[in-house]
Every structure is written in C-alpha cells, then in structure tokens.
Amino acid sequence: MHIGWTIVDNPRHNDGSMEIKDYYTIAEVAEHLTLSQKSIRRYIAAGHLGAVKVGGNYRIPKSALEHFINDKSGSESAVNYDLFGNVVEEYLPVRNTPKYDLINWCDLKNVWNKISESEMTFVDCFCGAGGLSKGLEMAGLQGVCGLDWFREAGMTYSRNFKHPFVNGDITKPEVKQLFYEVIEDQLQGKHLSVVAGGFPCQGFSMAGNRIVDDPRNSLYKELLEIVDYLKPDFVVCENVKGLRSMLGGMVEQKIISDFRNIGYEMNVTTLCAADYTVPQKRERVIFIGNRIGKRNYHPQPLISPDEYVTTGQAIGDLIDHPEDKDFNHVPTRHTPEMQARMAACPEGQSLYKGYSDAWKKCPWNEASCTIKENHGGVNVHPRLPRVLTAREMARLQSFPDDFIFEGPKNKQLVQIGNAVPPLLGKAIGLAIRHSAGDLQEE
C-alpha cells in the first residue's frame, strides 16, 4: 500500500494537542523492522512508508507503520494488505524473513506423495542442469523447453528430460527467437502455464533513490521481456537470499514493481529447502506471480527442524559404494597432508579460516550446510578425509539417483552446486497448481 509522506509544521490532534507517543523516529522504526535507517529513509522517499516532517526531522505515524508492516494484532480487521496494497487473508510468520512479509500458505501434506498429472506447462529460463525443471515435473507439470548458455549443463538437461533444450546467449535475438519457436512448436496450441527462471542480481546499484541501469542486469531484463512476450499464467523467480537486503530492499521492490507493470502481481518470501525434505539447509528467495487474478501461494513447510533429513541419512550408504564414473561417484584423491587436515576439521566449519562457505564440512547428524561449488571449494565429507563426490552432492540436493550429470567432474560439481533442489521445486510447483485450482486435495 503506497502511503505518501506530507510535510507539516506539527502533527497535532483536532484540539491542537500533539501526542509524541503516536509517532516514531526513523531510528525507532529501523530498530523495530531490523533494517538500516538509510532503508527507512528510502521507503519514505519512495512513498511506501508514511511520514510527516516535524521541524527538520521525519516522524512516522503509528498508523502508517501499522499499514507498512500489517501488524494484525493492532487491527480488528480480518483483512491484511501487502506492501503494494494486495489483499492477503492468510497470515503465517516465516523464519528468517522480514517482519513485514505476509504470505499465502498452502498445506501440501495430503498431496505430497500422490501427485496427479497436470495439463499445466512450463518453460525454464537459465535452467542449468534442471533442478527446478525436475521439481516441477515431480509436481506433475509438463516441461516444454529449457534454456541456458552453459554447454555441459545443457548436455545434462538433454539427457534427463524428454522436452528440448536451447543452448545459447538469451541476449542474442536469434537465440531468443529460436527459444520462442521451439516453445510454440512444443505447445502445439496448448497454453503456457509457467515461466520459471533464476537470474543474476549483481548488477543492481543506486543513484540517489533510484535503481540505475547496469549491463549485468541484462539477463533480468531478458526474463521480463520473455515473460511479457510469452504471457504465461504464472511466473516463478528464484534467487539467493541476499537479494532481499540489496539496497535496503529496493531491489526486491523493483522486481515486484517491474512485473506488476507487465501485468503480474507477485508475492515473495525466503524458503528453506530442508523444510521440504531436502537434506540441506539451503535458503532461497522465491517470487511467485500471476496475471490471471489468482492468489499466489507458497508451500507451507512439510516438516519441522527436528524432522530434517540428515547428511548421514542421505549419503551414508555411499561410504562403501565403489567408484563409479557412470554414477557420478568418483572420489577426489588428496595428499596425505590434506587428508589429515580434512579429518581434523570440525563438522560445520571450513577447512580454511578465510572462507565461510567453501571447503565446509557437512554435519553428519543434521541437514547439510548449503551445497555449492565455488572455484574448487566443495563441501568436505563428514566421515571420510575427502570432499564430496558429485553423486553425494546430488543426493544432498535431492536429485534422484537416475539423474546423471554430463561433462568432466569439475563441470558436474558446478552444475549441482548451482541447481535448485528438485524437492524444493516440487513444493513450488504444487503451490502453483494449488493457486490455479489444479490439485485434487483431500
């Protein structure tokens, strides 16, 4: 809800009196929302948070703050609104997200293990090896086409999916045109239900209170153009958790605003993959939007933290598994010195003090830390003095064992580390089907 700010001499009641307790300082609001004071000033300047000017200082009325964060305890109304004025009737706090998130949740427990096939279709931009595509297929949706520039990821995608893959730079008109032609040919007159994609976010920067153009934003802009051209019913955007705090939250709001401008109302929150039976505490920000007037749903967690699938449960049987190249299970051979260092490294910590995520040893009796491949810095096995194999990484990402990765081992590790966990993708796909009224639920 856009609440503009007004410059006044003094905020007073009708009788001329002024109640300071009805107003908050920027510092107080920043502390309450766990945001920086600069972020609060940007929300005021953008018109998202109402404020009045008292002398030379801004004050935020209590009512404006309540509108901003939709504090249900402060209102007798059963109706809530998100930051952009969309009615949201279901409220459930979520871990590790800003306090002003209001999310529509759907309970998938009754359908999780008995998925019906759907007529809904999807395309996957920036698909990589196909983690999100695999998850959407697990949810019963029909794949139409994948797109990525990474050649080895395309080889993997083509091996594991029946629908086609387009390899190329989406910023090139000829590649985009080929993508459109393949989609049209595959649909054969059917409707396109979903466009999914995870785009780089490094290019967002500020000038004053405006997000400025940057060449590195080109892939994000291409996704917008693709969605605008194909006009699917739903859009799914996946990204790193850190996007939410970029430029004090303004990047997130720009994404929501840009999609609204092409007809899509979006909801966004951070999901933890372990909540959906993935043996990994991987957090990703998930935007879900639609242009057909439906309510956007996110999947409610299936299990609680004390039920998480552990690293040991996921890869324990592979300790004695023989080396098998065709199964992507080829252990790395380290020097005796490196093996000793790995054996001595405590679980949950990195082998190198200068790294927070790379070369990290997964905890055996907990869900794994985030699986990633970063310049060779893969995860350390919690029981053996070596890094994880590609198959062990794939298990912790929830890829099924019959999903085989192509290319040399170093390329396989990059594909797996960059992927969306398929079971997280499955949960997202089922939430979209719920939004569309496409699930038969008990």
Side-chain angles (χ1 to χ4, degrees):
M1 178 176 294
H2 292 277
I3 308 171
W5 57 271
T6 306
I7 298 177
V8 298
D9 292 331
N10 286 294
R12 297 182 181 276
H13 290 175
N14 291 335
D15 62 1
S17 65
M18 176 178 172
E19 291 288 346
I20 297 298
K21 67 181 181 180
D22 292 337
Y23 295 82
Y24 299 96
T25 66
I26 286 177
E28 289 171 337
V29 173
E31 181 179 1
H32 182 72
L33 297 180
T34 64
L35 294 171
S36 69
Q37 293 186 41
K38 182 182 290 186
S39 296
I40 300 304
R41 292 183 185 279
R42 286 173 175 166
Y43 281 124
I44 293 171
H48 301 314
L49 176 60
V52 295
K53 204 166 187 180
V54 183
N57 299 311
Y58 285 112
R59 294 291 185 269
I60 294 88
K62 181 178 179 181
S63 59
L65 181 59
E66 288 175 346
H67 277 294
F68 183 70
I69 65 175
N70 287 291
D71 185 355
K72 197 168 186 178
S73 64
S75 172
E76 298 179 358
S77 173
V79 179
N80 288 294
Y81 298 88
D82 67 13
L83 186 59
F84 294 91
N86 304 310
V87 176
V88 179
E89 295 177 353
E90 299 177 44
Y91 175 74
L92 180 68
V94 71
R95 296 188 301 276
N96 300 320
T97 55
K99 294 181 181 179
Y100 51 79
D101 269 4
L102 290 176
I103 307 301
N104 301 309
W105 295 102
C106 59
D107 188 346
L108 302 174
K109 291 180 181 178
N110 290 335
V111 298
W112 185 255
N113 292 318
K114 44 186 178 182
I115 308 299
S116 60
E117 289 300 312
S118 174
E119 294 297 315
M120 295 182 69
T121 57
F122 72 88
V123 298
D124 192 352
C125 303
F126 323 115
C127 63
L132 182 54
S133 287
K134 185 64 179 178
L136 294 176
E137 281 197 348
M138 288 177 171
L141 282 75
Q142 299 180 28
V144 175
C145 188
L147 167 72
D148 205 280
W149 66 270
F150 189 178
R151 186 178 69 89
E152 287 81 5
M155 293 164 56
T156 296
Y157 198 96
S158 296
R159 171 170 183 155
N160 290 282
F161 296 97
K162 295 180 180 179
H163 57 267
F165 169 83
V166 172
N167 180 223
D169 181 354
I170 193 57
T171 64
K172 295 182 178 179
E174 63 271 19
V175 173
K176 194 181 305 176
Q177 184 59 39
L178 174 61
F179 184 51
Y180 293 153
E181 290 173 358
V182 171
I183 291 171
E184 183 178 0
D185 182 65
Q186 288 293 114
L187 286 173
Q188 291 291 307
K190 291 193 295 185
H191 188 66
L192 180 61
S193 306
V194 181
V195 168
F199 52 86
C201 58
Q202 298 93 334
F204 292 106
S205 57
M206 290 291 297
N209 286 314
R210 298 175 62 84
I211 296 177
V212 299
D213 287 337
D214 187 299
R216 291 172 295 175
N217 283 335
S218 60
L219 295 181
Y220 165 66
K221 294 175 182 177
E222 296 296 342
L223 178 61
L224 275 172
E225 181 180 327
I226 288 169
V227 170
D228 195 28
Y229 179 86
L230 294 175
K231 291 184 170 50
D233 291 339
F234 290 86
V235 177
V236 177
C237 300
E238 175 268 347
N239 221 296
V240 297
K241 179 184 176 182
L243 178 142
R244 305 209 70 183
S245 59
M246 289 181 67
L247 306 181
M250 292 191 71
V251 168
E252 177 180 307
Q253 293 194 38
K254 175 176 172 56
I255 292 168
I256 294 172
S257 177
D258 285 349
F259 275 97
R260 171 177 284 116
N261 288 339
I262 61 171
Y264 291 82
E265 296 297 328
M266 304 197 84
N267 293 79
V268 55
T269 195
T270 303
L271 300 182
C272 178
D275 288 338
Y276 309 97
T277 71
V278 178
Q280 180 188 172
K281 298 174 185 175
R282 188 187 194 99
E283 292 183 308
R284 286 295 184 268
V285 56
I286 305 297
F287 296 79
I288 297 177
N290 80 86
R291 67 179 185 91
I292 56 175
K294 299 290 187 178
R295 180 177 297 166
N296 297 314
Y297 284 91
H298 280 76
Q300 186 170 310
L302 295 171
I303 57 177
S304 59
D306 61 347
E307 299 173 303
Y308 282 172
V309 181
T310 69
T311 300
Q313 290 171 328
I315 66 172
D317 64 306
L318 295 177
I319 285 182
D320 298 319
H321 196 288
E323 181 174 325
D324 187 346
K325 184 177 180 180
D326 294 334
F327 187 52
N328 302 131
H329 188 62
V330 179
T332 300
R333 290 170 175 79
H334 305 282
T335 65
E337 292 78 12
M338 179 62 85
Q339 290 183 38
R341 290 185 61 187
M342 290 183 173
C345 181
E347 290 184 13
Q349 294 189 22
S350 174
L351 194 64
Y352 298 100
K353 292 182 179 179
Y355 294 90
S356 59
D357 293 321
W359 296 96
K360 199 169 186 178
K361 180 177 281 191
C362 301
W364 186 256
N365 291 317
E366 299 177 21
S368 169
C369 45
T370 300
I371 291 298
K372 59 173 59 178
E373 200 292 328
N374 184 19
H375 305 294
V378 298
N379 299 71
V380 178
H381 197 289
R383 290 289 186 268
L384 300 175
R386 61 168 175 79
V387 295
L388 299 176
T389 66
R391 180 50 52 191
E392 288 164 341
M393 287 177 65
R395 284 270 190 96
L396 295 178
Q397 281 277 60
S398 75
F399 280 97
D401 282 350
D402 62 357
F403 196 103
I404 303 301
F405 295 85
E406 295 285 355
K409 187 169 73 171
N410 66 324
K411 299 295 186 182
Q412 295 172 14
L413 299 179
V414 173
Q415 294 172 52
I416 298 167
N418 288 339
V420 175
L423 288 180
L424 175 58
K426 175 183 176 181
I428 294 167
L430 289 173
I432 291 172
R433 290 188 62 183
H434 178 83
S435 295
D438 189 51
L439 279 180
Q440 298 297 321
E441 303 177 49
E442 293 183 356

